[in-house]
Amino acid sequence: MTDIDVPTENPGQPERRVQIEYCIQCRWLPRAAWLAQELLTTFETELTELSLKPGTGGVFIVRVNDEVVWDRREQGFPEPTAVKKLVRDRVAPGKSLGHSDK
């Protein structure tokens, strides 16, 4: 058997957590998972955590470090580009999003 190196938390680095809360009654898991994949692909080294949180009542909320950055009830369903810009502004302000920045 071989040992596997597991990354440890870096106490000097700030938390960079994203949470996507989605409605299970509305069956929005695929939409939440797709957005999570987009964010993980774009911010694979910048995020410390991305979680999906089941909810009810038509909820679809994106949070960065507990700050609501997108709420479906107020803003409708997000385009990935819009959420990427909001996440980038909070976790990696200098990061280019390539064609998404245009």
Side-chain angles (χ1 to χ4, degrees), residues 17-83:
R17 295 175 289 113
V18 172
Q19 178 188 74
I20 302 170
E21 185 176 0
Y22 65 95
C23 180
I24 59 172
Q25 297 165 316
C26 302
R27 305 249 184 248
W28 288 340
L29 173 59
R31 185 184 296 258
W34 175 63
L35 182 57
Q37 178 182 333
E38 288 288 319
L39 293 172
L40 286 170
T41 300
T42 302
F43 302 104
E44 57 189 4
T45 60
E46 290 85 3
L47 295 180
T48 57
E49 177 181 335
L50 191 143
S51 64
L52 298 175
K53 180 180 178 183
T56 57
V59 67
F60 196 93
I61 297 173
V62 180
R63 294 179 181 89
V64 178
N65 295 332
D66 300 320
E67 173 192 358
V68 173
V69 297
W70 197 280
D71 187 336
R72 182 201 62 82
R73 288 189 176 132
E74 296 172 11
Q75 299 157 286
F77 277 110
E79 290 295 322
T81 301
V83 175

